[in-house]
Amino acid sequence: MGAISNHDVLVYGYRLGGPADNWVGLSGELVRYGDAGSSWPMPRVSWSTEAMREENHSDHFAAAAEERLTEAGLGALRLQTYSLGYDDEGYILAAVVHESAGGPTTFNPAAMSAAAQHDASLTRALSVLELRTRATTPEWIMASYYA
């Protein structure tokens, strides 16, 4: 078994958040699901799954969202995880994910400018997923995750 380490990535897309931060990147309505011991927020979407309603784990949301994106022909987009703290993660609806091979994460300006070609796909993805974000346009986000 390998050691868990922190990874930094530069991501182009929309920050959605997750249950631990009350889906900080979303401006749409949330619904609270729960079991006998706790409750958790999830985005109110028509495609919610039984797993999303029964267990407080944001991976259920990500899996269902990525399946919906693939069905809509947007499979090149993904939900990039990022750390919200110990054992809590959030998501970024991502078109570009750049991870450094070693050392600091950097990206050249031309590649950063070219990311705007994904804006229409990201906007369409938000519609397909029935999500409204606080950000009005995609942005570059520096994020960390553990793997």
Side-chain angles (χ1 to χ4, degrees), residues 7-10 98-106:
H7 300 267
D8 290 325
V9 291
L10 191 57
H98 175 69
E99 185 168 359
S100 175
T105 302
T106 59

Side-chain angles (χ1 to χ4, degrees), residues 60-74:
H60 299 305
F61 169 82
E66 286 182 338
E67 182 178 318
R68 192 165 171 90
L69 290 173
T70 298
E71 290 170 357
L74 296 165

Side-chain angles (χ1 to χ4, degrees), residues 1-5 147:
M1 178 184 237
I4 296 175
S5 61

Side-chain angles (χ1 to χ4, degrees), residues 73-136:
L74 296 165
L77 302 178
R78 68 185 227 196
L79 275 88
Q80 171 68 44
T81 61
Y82 69 98
S83 176
L84 292 172
Y86 179 74
D87 206 29
D88 288 319
E89 48 189 25
Y91 292 93
I92 299 168
L93 176 60
V96 177
V97 177
H98 175 69
E99 185 168 359
S100 175
T105 302
T106 59
F107 211 46
N108 71 49
M112 290 182 85
S113 295
Q117 70 183 333
H118 301 288
D119 289 2
S121 294
L122 286 163
T123 300
R124 185 167 163 244
L126 289 174
S127 178
V128 164
L129 296 175
E130 303 168 13
L131 299 175
R132 289 189 318 272
T133 58
R134 295 185 191 287
T136 56

Side-chain angles (χ1 to χ4, degrees), residues 20-31:
D21 68 1
N22 221 25
W23 297 92
V24 71
L26 298 179
S27 63
E29 188 176 349
L30 300 176
V31 61

